[in-house]
Amino acid sequence: MDGDSKISTRKTSIEREETVQNILEAHLPPIPPNSELEEALNTLAEVVHILDIPDASFSSYSTAITRMSDRRFELSRSLNRLAQVETELKEHFASLKHEFDLLQHWNDALDPNSPHSIHPESAMMLERRKASVVRKAKEYHRELEILLGSQPLEVPVTLPHYLAQKEKNLQLEKSLKEKRAKIKAFQGLSPNLELARHELHLAREKQKGLFQLRERLLGKMAEGVA
């Protein structure tokens, strides 16, 4: 690793010297060694090498600076996005922690064996009731098994039985139709018997009056024809 580092440093120094030489050949006449101008040119060459530009012209500097500004803007935007994601993750983590604390609290509160139980006596009563229900269910299940073993539930159905039941169903349906017709005839009457009789009497009187009116109209029509 040290050998590679030394080789890389040597290459960088050689490239910097070549860059300085190119700048001198392209822009300036020969200058004396170890002068301030040479130091400034070395600094300029190092900047050119760091910016990775072909020469020390203004267009190269401008392009490099623009590229670095764009890169800086992209990095800043990425950092802002990461900060937003970090904030959302922290909020989500806080919400999950709150829900976990609530679940743990209510588990302790509803556990009859917990010292933090809200109603330890009620919880014990519920447990006893549950055990009683389970015991009763087992007893009923045993009784059902006994009944199923002693009395088969399958009842054989023969054709005569089917026809007889069908005839009974038809008779019942006919009887229901007759009853519906009778009920429909009295539709609109009050369920009170006395009130229903009164309404029926009024309806008959009204019907009688209509009959009399019809007779009078027919009589007048006959007189007009004569």
Side-chain angles (χ1 to χ4, degrees):
M1 292 295 292
D2 293 338
D4 294 339
S5 178
K6 290 179 180 179
I7 293 172
S8 177
T9 304
R10 191 179 303 112
K11 286 183 178 180
T12 303
S13 178
I14 294 172
E15 291 175 354
R16 188 183 301 113
E17 291 177 358
E18 291 178 353
T19 303
V20 172
Q21 189 65 28
N22 292 333
I23 293 172
L24 292 175
E25 292 177 356
H27 301 283
L28 296 173
I31 58 175
N34 299 326
S35 62
E36 294 181 359
L37 183 58
E38 185 179 6
E39 292 180 0
L41 289 175
N42 287 329
T43 304
L44 180 61
E46 187 174 357
V47 172
V48 170
H49 180 71
I50 292 173
L51 294 178
D52 192 18
I53 55 179
D55 52 39
S57 63
F58 175 77
S59 60
S60 298
Y61 277 111
S62 178
T63 303
I65 292 172
T66 302
R67 185 172 62 250
M68 292 177 65
S69 298
D70 294 340
R71 181 60 177 167
R72 181 175 177 275
F73 175 74
E74 292 177 358
L75 291 174
S76 177
R77 184 171 57 184
S78 299
L79 287 175
N80 291 333
R81 289 178 179 175
L82 289 175
Q84 183 179 0
V85 171
E86 182 182 6
T87 303
E88 292 177 356
L89 288 175
K90 287 181 179 179
E91 292 177 355
H92 185 61
F93 176 75
S95 177
L96 291 177
K97 187 176 183 303
H98 176 67
E99 292 179 1
F100 176 77
D101 293 340
L102 286 177
L103 288 173
Q104 190 173 9
H105 168 72
W106 284 110
N107 283 334
D108 293 339
L110 297 176
D111 188 3
N113 299 322
S114 174
H116 304 290
S117 178
I118 51 177
H119 299 297
E121 296 181 358
S122 300
M124 293 176 63
M125 291 177 62
L126 289 175
E127 289 293 332
R128 287 197 295 268
R129 188 178 301 174
K130 177 182 176 182
S132 176
V133 170
V134 171
R135 186 169 57 253
K136 282 289 184 182
K138 290 181 179 179
E139 292 178 1
Y140 292 151
H141 184 69
R142 285 195 297 268
E143 292 179 1
L144 179 61
E145 289 180 347
I146 294 172
L147 291 174
L148 291 176
S150 60
Q151 297 180 359
L153 296 179
E154 295 183 359
V155 179
V157 179
T158 60
L159 183 60
H161 290 160
Y162 171 75
L163 294 176
Q165 185 63 39
K166 184 177 180 181
E167 185 65 25
K168 289 181 181 179
N169 292 340
L170 291 175
Q171 293 295 332
L172 288 174
E173 187 175 355
K174 183 179 179 181
S175 176
L176 287 174
K177 286 182 179 179
E178 293 176 355
K179 291 179 180 179
R180 289 194 186 100
K182 292 180 180 179
I183 293 173
K184 189 175 181 181
F186 291 95
Q187 188 175 4
L189 294 178
S190 174
N192 189 342
L193 183 59
E194 295 297 330
L195 185 58
R197 287 176 179 174
H198 179 67
E199 291 179 357
L200 182 60
H201 176 71
L202 293 178
R204 287 176 178 174
E205 290 293 332
K206 187 176 181 181
Q207 185 181 17
K208 185 178 179 181
L210 291 174
F211 285 156
Q212 292 175 357
L213 179 61
R214 187 185 65 175
E215 292 296 332
R216 288 197 299 271
L217 290 174
L218 290 175
K220 289 182 179 181
M221 289 174 63
E223 291 176 359
V225 172

